[in-house]
Amino acid sequence: MCLTDNPESKDTARNLMTAFKRLHYKLHKRMIGTVKNELKLSPFFVMNHLLRSDREGRGGVRVSDIAQSMGITVSAVTQIITGLEKKSLIRREMDPDDRRAVLVFLTGDGQKIMEPAILQMQNSFNGLIAHLGEERSRDLAELLLQVEEYFDSQE
């Protein structure tokens, strides 16, 4: 019997899809809710991508990398970046390794706008750890990393 022919597996798959969809919605709702007066959704995702890169010590991000991570065109990201640049929330620089490419960075003002969203998420996950307990939280993190590995292997 094929796994998808098993009614129990179909229910489990449906429950997983529903759980991921709901979780994705709730996490984004919490983060975007803290900056909704300053940013719309797409600019928020661009700035969040830049903030992660900055915190991981990678520095600027190529426009094409942002587009790929968001699943939209380079042209669409360029329009978002132009709007953010006009608000002095990001800055662009030529890539010193490839003069055809542009790197995008958060400015200090951009980081200030993102701080409430990051604090909200940190508080939410600290609450989740308190709710689940340290061991179950570590187990959940490990399972989610395995989920990511699985989906990466499917690309």
Side-chain angles (χ1 to χ4, degrees):
M1 175 190 305
C2 178
L3 188 61
T4 57
D5 292 338
N6 181 344
E8 197 171 296
S9 292
K10 284 183 180 180
D11 288 344
T12 301
R14 193 173 13 259
N15 288 340
L16 277 170
M17 288 187 291
T18 299
F20 274 97
K21 183 173 141 186
R22 287 180 181 172
L23 181 60
H24 181 261
Y25 172 77
K26 288 178 192 256
L27 289 173
H28 283 100
K29 183 178 174 186
R30 280 183 181 248
M31 284 187 79
I32 196 70
T34 60
V35 295
K36 67 182 174 189
N37 293 332
E38 291 90 359
L39 296 173
K40 300 284 187 226
L41 194 57
S42 293
F44 172 81
F45 285 126
V46 169
M47 291 182 62
N48 192 45
H49 188 90
L50 296 173
L51 183 65
R52 274 195 323 268
S53 177
D54 188 50
R55 289 185 172 201
E56 292 169 1
R58 292 183 283 143
V61 180
R62 288 179 176 210
V63 175
S64 59
D65 292 339
I66 297 169
Q68 183 180 10
S69 76
M70 292 178 67
I72 61 177
T73 65
V74 170
S75 175
V77 172
T78 300
Q79 289 178 355
I80 294 166
I81 287 171
T82 298
L84 292 170
E85 191 174 36
K86 286 178 183 174
K87 294 178 181 179
S88 300
L89 300 175
I90 61 105
R91 64 183 165 76
R92 297 184 227 204
E93 292 180 12
M94 297 301 288
D95 185 337
D97 298 326
D98 180 356
R99 300 198 42 76
R100 297 169 296 162
V102 173
L103 296 176
V104 184
F105 299 83
L106 273 183
T107 63
D109 287 344
Q111 289 177 349
K112 286 179 190 171
I113 283 182
M114 294 301 290
E115 282 176 13
I118 300 308
L119 287 173
Q120 171 65 40
M121 288 307 291
Q122 288 172 340
N123 290 336
S124 293
F125 279 96
N126 287 336
L128 179 62
I129 293 167
H131 176 74
L132 295 176
E134 193 73 36
E135 184 177 343
R136 289 178 70 199
S137 295
R138 278 195 303 273
D139 291 345
L140 177 59
E142 180 58 36
L143 282 170
L144 290 172
L145 289 172
Q146 290 176 26
V147 168
E148 179 187 20
E149 287 173 9
Y150 168 78
F151 283 111
D152 281 347
S153 74
Q154 301 301 304
E155 293 179 354

